[in-house]
């Protein structure tokens, strides 16, 4: 297990095998196969890319897709508070691409799906990048491709690609929706928006949980639960959604209360649902049983909230094991 320092609340992190990228005002690149000390320290302003003359603050990061196995887990995209996008080569520690005019607000999420990349800003503008082999493929995707624009609601604190669909929801304090619970009583819940970004006739479908729950903080899928999506909420509930093959709007089919605290982060690890809470605990749930069974629970972060929990899909081929990262 490696312990890498991440700036509290505002630092972002991406992992591919033994390579770790931590970004805030600066970027640190680690190669854990050689040392737990950073390999590169990158100041993005040194490359002449300080395009608005302001201090650069990185708000999102993700490893870029690649066609060749040797290039996978090498380049990262970095999104900034001012809307700029950088591509960094983690081997050399140099910026290889920059684009500053696509987003007019903070780039809050960068997501990878297959060879595609999706960037989302605070104004509700999502951009879908698709590699063009005639223009250099993934290597030149940031600088030469013409990304497709999708409009979603602004200030979506949660965003993730699950079952090939883009799921988003506003964070704590965002507007909620009203719906009937079938008995004439109206209940409130966070609006969950789902977008088929692979379709050119893109439409954003909105839905609500079947019971009153808090804001969406996390989401994941489990390989043992096909066509199901799990969303973690403020207040300790997990809502379960069914994704239908006919393209209809996903529906919430169940809500399970798992904690008195918030489900800060969540990840499907093999056949277990891992969830991180505000007290530093990570719990692993076997959801095949009713009620769910906690098969393991441990203090991953000493009395501090577990802010992020994610799988590294590159770890199996690069390290020979499946790695899970918690922040």
């Amino acid at each position: 297990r490696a312990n890498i320092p991440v700036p509290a609340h505002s630092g972002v992190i991406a992992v591919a095998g033994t390579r770790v990228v931590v970004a805030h005002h600066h970027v640190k690149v680690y190669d854990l196969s050689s040392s737990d000390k950073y390999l590169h320290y990158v100041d993005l302003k040194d490359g002449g890319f300080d395009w608005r003359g302001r201090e650069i603050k990185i708000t999102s990061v993700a490893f870029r897709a690649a066609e060749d196995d040797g290039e996978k887990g090498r380049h990262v995209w970095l999104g900034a508070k001012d809307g700029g996008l950088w591509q960094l080569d983690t081997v050399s520690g140099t910026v290889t691409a920059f684009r500053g005019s696509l987003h007019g607000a903070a780039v809050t999420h960068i997501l990878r799906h297959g060879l595609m990349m999706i960037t989302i800003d605070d104004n509700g503008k999502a951009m879908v990048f698709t590699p063009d082999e005639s223009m250099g493929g993934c290597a030149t995707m940031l600088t030469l491709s013409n990304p497709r624009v999708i409009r979603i609601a602004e200030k979506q604190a949660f965003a993730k690609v699950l079952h090939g669909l883009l799921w988003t929801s506003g964070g704590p304090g965002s507007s909620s929706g009203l719906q009937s619970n079938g008995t004439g009583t109206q209940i409130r819940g966070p609006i969950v928006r789902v977008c088929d970004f692979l379709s050119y006739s893109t439409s954003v479908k909105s839905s609500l949980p079947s019971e009153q729950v808090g804001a969406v903080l996390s989401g994941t899928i489990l390989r043992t639960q096909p066509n199901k999506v799990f969303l973690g909420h403020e207040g300790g509930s997990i809502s379960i959604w069914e994704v239908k093959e006919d393209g209809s709007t996903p529906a919430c089919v169940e809500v399970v209360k798992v904690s008195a605290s918030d489900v800060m982060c969540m990840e499907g690890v093999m056949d277990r649902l891992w969830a991180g809470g505000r007290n530093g605990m990570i719990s692993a749930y076997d959801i095949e049983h009713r009620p769910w069974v906690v098969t393991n629970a441990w203090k991953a972060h000493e009395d501090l909230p577990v802010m992020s929990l994610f799988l590294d899909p590159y770890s199996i081929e690069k390290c020979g094991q499946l790695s899970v990262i918690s922040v």
Side-chain angles (χ1 to χ4, degrees), residues 67 77 113 115-118 127-133 135-138 140-142 144-148 197-198 200:
E67 298 95 341
W77 282 16
H113 179 71
L115 295 179
M116 306 168 70
M117 299 294 290
I118 304 169
M127 311 211 73
V128 181
F129 295 79
T130 304
D132 186 338
E133 291 185 5
M135 300 175 67
C138 290
T140 58
M141 188 162 48
L142 179 59
L144 298 183
S145 69
N146 184 24
R148 186 160 48 94
F197 65 93
L198 298 175
Y200 277 85

Side-chain angles (χ1 to χ4, degrees), residues 306-324:
V306 188
M307 303 299 294
S308 179
L309 188 65
F310 60 95
L311 283 174
D312 172 18
Y314 293 118
S315 61
I316 294 178
E317 60 183 270
K318 293 185 176 295
C319 302
Q321 62 185 14
L322 179 64
S323 298
V324 183

Side-chain angles (χ1 to χ4, degrees), residues 5 21 38 53 62 65 108 134 147 150 233-234 239 241 264 267 277-278 284 292 308 326:
V21 176
Y38 61 81
T108 55
S134 65
I150 299 174
H233 299 266
E234 272 191 329
S239 60
W241 300 70
M264 298 288 294
E267 187 62 280
R278 288 196 176 277
W292 292 2
S308 179
S326 64

